[in-house]
Amino acid sequence: MILLQKFLHVFASVSLLSNPASTVEEVPQLSLWGKVLNLTFGCNHWRLKPHVSIPALQELTVCLSLKFEVQASSPWTAFMYRHPEVQYAELGLGWKWGRLVIWLFGTEWTAPQIDLRPSQWYSLCLTWSHTKDRPALYVNGNPVELMAGHIIDTSPSSCRKLAPNGTLTLGAAHFLSGGNIEIIPFTCGLGKLSLFRLWGRERSKEEVTSLKCTEGDLVKWERDNWDTQIDTPLPDSSLRCEWSFYEVRLMFAIICYDGNTNELYMAREIAHHWLEEVLPNRIYLNRVSVFEVSRSSTDDSLAETSHEDRMVRWAPNINGFNCLVYASVIPGMDVAAVQNEMYVTLSSPYHVYHEASGLLQLLPDEDSIHTRPVESFSAVTPSPPDMVTPSPVTTTSSSSATSPATTLKTTATSTTTYTSTSAVSTTTITTTSPTNMTELYFEVKMNVSITGDCEPEEILSTW
């Protein structure tokens, strides 16, 4: 076991998580949560960047948030998706004559009159599947009836697909001229738009309501998805979305002052101790995975961008690592506040003293810290691309347990894997309880046979 003791660690910040009403500090990060597109001046709009490719979809979900500064009277468009080979709008949402409208494959679907009051945020979600004859619209989680106008696309719904690689605008309608986006005048909104996300599947009403604070899988509310140069995103503390489950990705370097290099298991323990020490008590680590970065796939940006020593370059005594963390925030907090807290907390250098290597320094790459709200924690240990995993050492044992009405037989395979290659390596720390962290980490796989009248989930949990 490697013994680590704190040698020098200076960390000062204002904990945003301790006060939900705190103003989110402005820090440079990829996420746009807590930011809005202001539509109140001119015909402001954003465009999806060309590198964000939307595939052909037979089902989808779009969610966004809207707030009006004045009572809407003239038509406006929240978003529109078009394809150069199709004359009509493939997908869109807007407002006409006091009614929300949906454009899907050229057909205009109209909702009953809805009073969208100024200075109030509304969550709008649109879902569609080729297995159904109409889209579904939810306002603040409540379903809204839609009526179809003139149907342009008469092909069977089972054959329809959203055309891939189209153009998407937020805050205004558009058409394509010679492959270029042309904004349609007088279609711009009179308020603010935020949290636009696209999923490649139809979400249920329960998911739309209960998972409203999660990130999209195809289009995300992140800076690298949108051309924000047309209009700068603005912070808005009135839009809050509380959530508990987060994925945190970052890159860090470990410097050995004695000139030696770090083994992966040492980096894992250092990272684990670092996260446990610097994160607030209300943030619980569910899983910590550490991957060794090969020099062939890494540039010098990590060492250069560290604020402690911008002149440090990759050298024999500096190892780079990718870190993937699944963490719970209990109780749930505003996503933007959690993202900001993670960035501020994890940006500081960390010093430890190792009994064999002496003083070590962990240097996080500030630009790589990325926190994302997720629906749940993956049960599969992630692996970086091109990872080579050797055959694990496996031991097998069998046991049995009984209850008055049920017989449970198990054949358990306990697998402990340590992977180390010349290019990329991985190791993972997993805990089953926020308050029970251990120094040994195992992955257990087993086949279970149950006989008798019982609920499998209940009997397995009890066992």
Side-chain angles (χ1 to χ4, degrees):
M1 180 185 301
I2 293 181
L3 300 177
L4 297 172
Q5 67 181 107
K6 187 169 75 171
F7 180 84
L8 174 63
H9 180 219
V10 180
F11 176 76
S13 71
V14 178
S15 176
L16 300 177
L17 295 179
S18 63
N19 184 4
S22 298
T23 302
V24 175
E25 177 188 350
E26 281 296 296
V27 294
Q29 53 181 308
L30 180 63
S31 174
L32 286 171
W33 288 72
K35 306 288 195 305
V36 301
L37 166 59
N38 189 1
L39 305 173
T40 56
F41 301 103
C43 202
N44 296 346
H45 66 281
W46 285 355
R47 303 176 183 184
L48 190 68
K49 288 186 176 180
H51 76 269
V52 183
S53 177
I54 297 177
L57 298 175
Q58 287 190 300
E59 58 180 80
L60 57 86
T61 299
V62 173
C63 290
L64 68 153
S65 296
L66 287 172
K67 181 173 75 171
F68 299 96
E69 300 300 331
V70 297
Q71 191 72 38
S73 57
S74 57
W76 51 261
T77 299
F79 77 92
M80 181 169 285
Y81 177 81
R82 285 184 176 270
H83 192 273
E85 298 179 1
V86 182
Q87 296 299 320
Y88 48 75
E90 284 274 289
L91 183 67
L93 184 149
W95 173 272
K96 285 185 179 180
W97 307 296
R99 301 172 186 267
L100 287 169
V101 295
I102 302 297
W103 298 287
L104 183 63
F105 305 124
T107 299
E108 185 174 281
W109 298 82
T110 306
Q113 282 196 324
I114 300 177
D115 182 19
L116 298 181
R117 300 177 181 178
S119 303
Q120 180 177 336
W121 280 105
Y122 291 91
S123 173
L124 306 178
C125 286
L126 166 66
T127 69
W128 169 77
S129 171
H130 69 99
T131 61
K132 299 178 180 178
D133 62 353
R134 65 182 57 222
L137 177 64
Y138 302 89
V139 178
N140 290 340
N142 301 311
V144 176
E145 188 67 27
L146 294 174
M147 296 182 60
H150 177 62
I151 298 178
I152 297 178
D153 190 345
T154 58
S155 61
S157 59
S158 60
C159 299
R160 293 176 185 169
K161 290 183 180 180
L162 188 75
N165 304 320
T167 55
L168 176 62
T169 52
L170 295 186
H174 74 281
F175 65 93
L176 295 172
S177 176
N180 298 318
I181 294 177
E182 299 290 343
I183 298 299
I184 301 176
F186 311 113
T187 62
C188 303
L190 298 173
K192 296 177 180 178
L193 186 153
S194 189
L195 301 186
F196 183 96
R197 292 147 293 156
L198 170 65
W199 292 263
R201 63 182 181 87
E202 180 191 32
R203 296 178 119 196
S204 66
K205 178 183 182 298
E206 291 73 21
E207 290 176 313
V208 166
T209 303
S210 63
L211 302 177
K212 63 180 181 179
C213 296
T214 56
E215 187 62 273
D217 58 3
L218 294 180
V219 177
K220 301 175 175 60
W221 195 239
E222 296 178 349
R223 290 180 185 271
D224 64 351
N225 279 210
W226 302 99
D227 182 0
T228 61
Q229 295 182 349
I230 303 171
D231 191 72
T232 303
L234 300 176
D236 191 323
S237 59
S238 67
L239 178 59
R240 301 180 61 82
C241 208
E242 295 186 356
W243 195 242
S244 290
F245 307 115
Y246 294 88
E247 173 191 280
V248 186
R249 294 177 180 268
L250 71 149
M251 186 177 180
F252 64 87
I254 294 181
I255 298 178
C256 294
Y257 290 98
D258 63 359
N260 293 322
T261 58
N262 300 126
E263 297 294 340
L264 183 61
Y265 72 91
M266 184 191 300
R268 177 202 66 188
E269 291 200 26
I270 293 173
H272 191 207
H273 280 272
W274 168 56
L275 293 168
E276 278 194 308
E277 182 169 338
V278 303
L279 290 177
N281 292 334
R282 67 190 313 136
I283 299 181
Y284 302 97
L285 301 177
N286 179 272
R287 181 187 304 162
V288 178
S289 301
V290 175
F291 310 106
E292 186 174 5
V293 179
S294 64
R295 295 176 181 271
S296 60
S297 62
T298 308
D299 55 43
D300 295 341
S301 59
L302 172 60
E304 285 188 52
T305 56
S306 65
H307 59 272
E308 174 142 314
D309 188 354
R310 300 180 183 275
M311 300 306 293
V312 173
R313 292 279 181 173
W314 291 105
N317 65 327
I318 302 179
N319 294 78
F321 300 91
N322 283 315
C323 188
L324 173 62
V325 181
Y326 288 116
S328 302
V329 178
I330 303 175
M333 298 295 297
D334 176 54
V335 172
V338 173
Q339 291 174 330
N340 188 81
E341 177 77 2
M342 288 291 191
Y343 182 91
V344 173
T345 303
L346 301 180
S347 294
S348 299
Y350 182 75
H351 295 77
V352 293
Y353 185 85
H354 182 257
E355 59 180 353
S357 300
L359 179 62
L360 305 176
Q361 185 181 41
L362 185 150
L363 291 176
D365 175 17
E366 297 177 11
D367 295 334
S368 71
I369 301 173
H370 185 204
T371 303
R372 178 180 296 168
V374 295
E375 294 184 7
S376 61
F377 298 140
S378 171
V380 179
T381 301
S383 299
D386 303 322
M387 170 166 292
V388 179
T389 305
S391 300
V393 177
T394 303
T395 60
T396 303
S397 62
S398 299
S399 61
S400 64
T402 61
S403 64
T406 305
T407 300
L408 175 67
K409 295 181 179 181
T410 67
T411 300
T413 301
S414 176
T415 303
T416 305
T417 304
Y418 173 74
T419 304
S420 180
T421 68
S422 59
V424 183
S425 301
T426 179
T427 186
T428 301
I429 296 172
T430 303
T431 62
T432 57
S433 170
T435 58
N436 182 25
M437 306 299 290
T438 64
E439 293 299 330
L440 296 176
Y441 313 97
F442 299 92
E443 177 184 69
V444 180
K445 298 180 180 179
M446 59 177 58
N447 297 320
V448 179
S449 299
I450 302 177
T451 59
D453 185 14
C454 68
E455 291 292 333
E457 292 185 2
E458 181 179 348
I459 192 65
L460 283 172
S461 177
T462 303
W463 170 63

